[in-house]
Amino acid sequence: MLGGGGKKSGGGGSGKSGGGKPRNSLALPGLLVIVALAIWAASGFYLVDQSERGVVLRFGEYQGIVEPGLQWNPPLIDDVRMVNVTRVRSVSQTQSMLTRDENIVEVEISAQYQVANPRDFVLNVRDPALSIENALDSALRHVVGGTDMIDILTSGREILGSSVASRLQTYLDAYGAGIRLQTINIESTSAPAPVIDAFDDVIRAREDRQRTINEGMAYANAIIPAAQGQAQRVVEQGQGYRESVVAEAQGQANRFNALLTEYRNAPEIMRERMYLDAIEEVFGSTPKVLLDVSENAPLMYLPLDQMRGNSGDSSSTSSNSGDSSSDAIDPRVLESLRGNQSSSSSSSSNNPIRREGR
C-alpha cells in the first residue's frame, strides 16, 4: 500500500531492480489526514446536563441554544458555553448610606437570582456578577435615600426590601442581563456605632407605645361586647316587664268586666261572694286570731301560723321547742285555759272580743 520496492537480481546482475511496483508518496499524508479528521469529528461530541443550557457561538457569532442531551458541534469552529439555569446564585452587601432625614444607617442586604435567558447572560453583560452587585448597590442607595431612618430601623424593613427588589429587577431588565430575581433579604439595619444605644432606646420606647396601644385595643374589644350584651339584656328585661304588666292589666280588666257582667245578673250573690273573698284575703295574711269565748267550754289553740313560719328552720325549732309553744299561744288563750269557768267568764267579760259581721 505504501509502494514497496521489488526483489534484487541474483549473481552479478546489472544492478537494476526488476519486477517491483513504484512507491506512492501521497498515501501516508492522506492516512494522517483521515485520522486527524476522525479525531476532530469525535471531539465535537459533548453532553449537556439537565440543569444546563449551551450557548453556541460560531466564530464569535450567536447561533442558538442547545438543550440537554448528547450534542455535536464542529470543534474549533463553534464555541459552546454552558450556563446553569437552575442554580440559585446569591450576592450580599453591607453598606453605610444616607437617609432622607440626613442620618446614616448601615444596611446588610442579600439577593438571590437565577439565569432566565442564557443568551443575554452570556452576550449582553461581560461580568454578570459584578453588574448585579453594582445594580444592587445603586437600587439600595436610591431607596434608602428616600426613606427616613426610623422607618428603616423599625417597621419599614419589609417595604424597603420590596422596593429594592422592584428597582433592581428594573435595572437588570434595562441591562438585558438575562437574570431573574428570586428574593431580596434585608439581613440587618442598624445605626452607626456611636449612637446605636440612643437609637435602641428610641426603638424600645416605640415598641412599648405600640404594645400599650395593642393592650388598650384588646381591653376595648373585651369590654365593648360585654357592655353591649348587658345593654341588650336590660332592654329585653324591660320589654319583658312591659309585656307582663300589660298582660296583667289586661287580665285584671277582663276579670273586672266578667265580674261586672255577673254582678248585673245577680247582685246579691256577687256581693256576698265578693265580701267573702275580701275577708279571706284580709284574714289569711294577718297573724291575729279572733276567738269567741262566750261559751264556758275550753278552747284549744294550735299556733298554725307560727308552726308554718318556723318549719324552714329545723335547728332553731328543735333547740327552742319548749319556749316556742308557750310563746306562740296568745296570752288571752292561756288565761282562759288556766282559769276556772268563773274566771274564764270574767276574763271574757273583761276582755270582750267582738265578732266581725257585715
Side-chain angles (χ1 to χ4, degrees):
M1 184 180 69
L2 299 179
K7 295 181 179 180
K8 294 183 179 180
S9 59
S14 59
K16 294 181 180 180
S17 60
K21 296 182 180 180
R23 183 186 299 270
N24 187 358
S25 61
L26 299 178
L28 182 59
L31 180 61
L32 295 176
V33 169
I34 292 174
V35 172
L37 288 176
I39 295 174
W40 174 81
S43 64
F45 289 98
Y46 60 94
L47 182 64
V48 180
D49 192 74
Q50 193 68 29
S51 62
E52 295 178 339
R53 300 294 183 272
V55 180
V56 180
L57 302 178
R58 183 166 296 167
F59 299 111
E61 183 180 5
Y62 171 75
Q63 293 298 314
I65 303 292
V66 293
E67 298 295 328
L70 183 63
Q71 304 290 341
W72 183 87
N73 283 89
L76 305 178
I77 297 177
D78 288 355
D79 180 18
V80 181
R81 300 184 182 181
M82 298 297 177
V83 179
N84 193 319
V85 296
T86 61
R87 182 167 66 92
V88 177
R89 299 170 171 84
S90 63
V91 59
S92 60
Q93 289 183 355
T94 302
Q95 298 290 341
S96 296
M97 303 177 186
L98 189 67
T99 61
R100 183 173 59 183
D101 51 357
E102 299 180 357
N103 289 313
I104 296 176
V105 294
E106 294 182 358
V107 180
E108 182 179 357
I109 189 172
S110 63
Q112 287 76 37
Y113 63 94
Q114 286 181 316
V115 176
N117 192 326
R119 175 185 179 279
D120 295 342
F121 185 78
V122 172
L123 300 179
N124 291 349
V125 181
R126 178 174 297 176
D127 191 348
L130 180 60
S131 298
I132 194 172
E133 288 181 3
N134 295 334
L136 178 61
D137 182 67
S138 176
L140 182 61
R141 290 183 182 276
H142 187 278
V143 175
V144 171
T147 310
D148 292 335
M149 181 178 184
I150 193 64
D151 294 334
I152 297 175
L153 297 179
T154 55
S155 61
R157 293 178 57 178
E158 296 181 359
I159 301 176
L160 176 66
S162 61
S163 300
V164 171
S166 176
R167 184 168 292 275
L168 179 58
Q169 187 64 60
T170 302
Y171 290 166
L172 295 176
D173 293 341
Y175 296 161
I179 295 174
R180 180 178 64 252
L181 285 176
Q182 295 294 322
T183 56
I184 291 289
N185 297 323
I186 305 297
E187 302 295 342
S188 65
T189 57
S190 61
V195 296
I196 190 170
D197 294 336
F199 275 98
D200 289 341
D201 293 338
V202 173
I203 293 174
R204 283 193 293 268
R206 288 179 178 269
E207 291 176 354
D208 292 341
R209 173 178 175 271
Q210 187 63 37
R211 184 175 62 255
T212 304
I213 292 174
N214 294 337
E215 291 176 355
M217 294 297 295
Y219 178 75
N221 293 333
I223 291 298
I224 291 176
Q228 292 177 349
Q230 185 176 1
Q232 184 65 28
R233 183 169 62 252
V234 171
V235 171
E236 292 178 356
Q237 290 177 354
Q239 292 178 352
Y241 176 74
R242 182 189 64 182
E243 293 175 358
S244 64
V245 170
V246 171
E248 183 179 0
Q250 290 177 352
Q252 291 179 357
N254 295 332
R255 184 167 61 253
F256 179 79
N257 292 331
L259 289 175
L260 179 61
T261 302
E262 296 296 331
Y263 184 81
R264 289 175 178 175
N265 295 330
E268 294 296 333
I269 298 175
M270 289 304 300
R271 189 181 298 113
E272 182 71 19
R273 179 182 175 183
M274 292 172 63
Y275 171 78
L276 295 177
D277 291 341
I279 291 299
E280 180 182 3
E281 182 178 358
V282 170
F283 285 103
S285 60
T286 181
K288 302 290 183 174
V289 176
L290 298 180
L291 298 176
D292 188 0
V293 292
S294 60
E295 298 180 359
N296 296 328
L299 177 65
M300 298 298 295
Y301 168 72
L302 294 178
L304 299 177
D305 54 345
Q306 298 295 333
M307 295 173 62
R308 189 184 303 111
N310 295 333
S311 61
D313 192 359
S314 60
S315 61
S316 61
T317 304
S318 61
S319 62
N320 299 325
S321 60
D323 298 335
S324 61
S325 60
S326 61
D327 294 339
I329 301 175
D330 190 272
R332 293 174 294 179
V333 177
L334 291 175
E335 185 178 1
S336 62
L337 293 176
R338 290 171 182 173
N340 51 22
Q341 295 182 356
S342 60
S343 60
S344 91
S345 301
S346 61
S347 174
S348 61
S349 61
N350 294 330
N351 297 313
I353 300 177
R354 62 185 181 84
R355 302 180 60 182
E356 293 291 339
R358 292 178 50 186

